[in-house]
Amino acid sequence: MNLVELLERTLPSMGFELVDVELSPKGRQVRVFIDKPAGVDVEDCASVSNQLTRLFAVENVDYERLEVSSPGLDRPLKKPAD
């Protein structure tokens, strides 16, 4: 299973939508952008980061740095629902 599929399977059960994923050229840095109807705050990002850290350990995802944030006001339009 690839990383996007893993995130798309995990985040909705936590109440979040996966907006985008960015990988550094060597795949060592993973940036995950999340959203939810009421908006995302720092506690949400911390909660998702903690959960993904555990999930990545179980699924043997090789990375050095994980960043979780909201897409911000300039949210990219990636899906037809956007």
Side-chain angles (χ1 to χ4, degrees):
M1 177 180 311
N2 72 33
L3 182 60
V4 173
E5 290 173 350
L6 182 63
L7 293 169
E8 286 177 339
R9 188 183 69 188
T10 304
L11 292 173
S13 65
M14 296 177 66
F16 298 95
E17 172 192 358
L18 175 64
V19 175
D20 198 9
V21 178
E22 293 179 358
L23 299 172
S24 65
K26 295 182 181 178
R28 305 306 301 158
Q29 181 175 357
V30 179
R31 288 187 180 136
V32 178
F33 296 93
I34 59 171
D35 204 1
K36 66 179 185 180
V40 175
D41 59 24
V42 173
E43 289 81 18
D44 293 328
C45 293
S47 173
V48 170
S49 178
N50 290 334
Q51 180 66 25
L52 292 181
T53 298
R54 290 189 291 272
L55 176 68
F56 289 177
V58 170
E59 296 291 333
N60 296 317
V61 175
D62 187 29
Y63 72 101
E64 288 180 4
R65 183 174 178 177
L66 171 64
E67 295 179 10
V68 178
S69 69
S70 73
L73 294 175
D74 297 328
R75 177 183 172 154
L77 303 177
K78 298 269 186 174
K79 304 172 190 166
D82 293 339

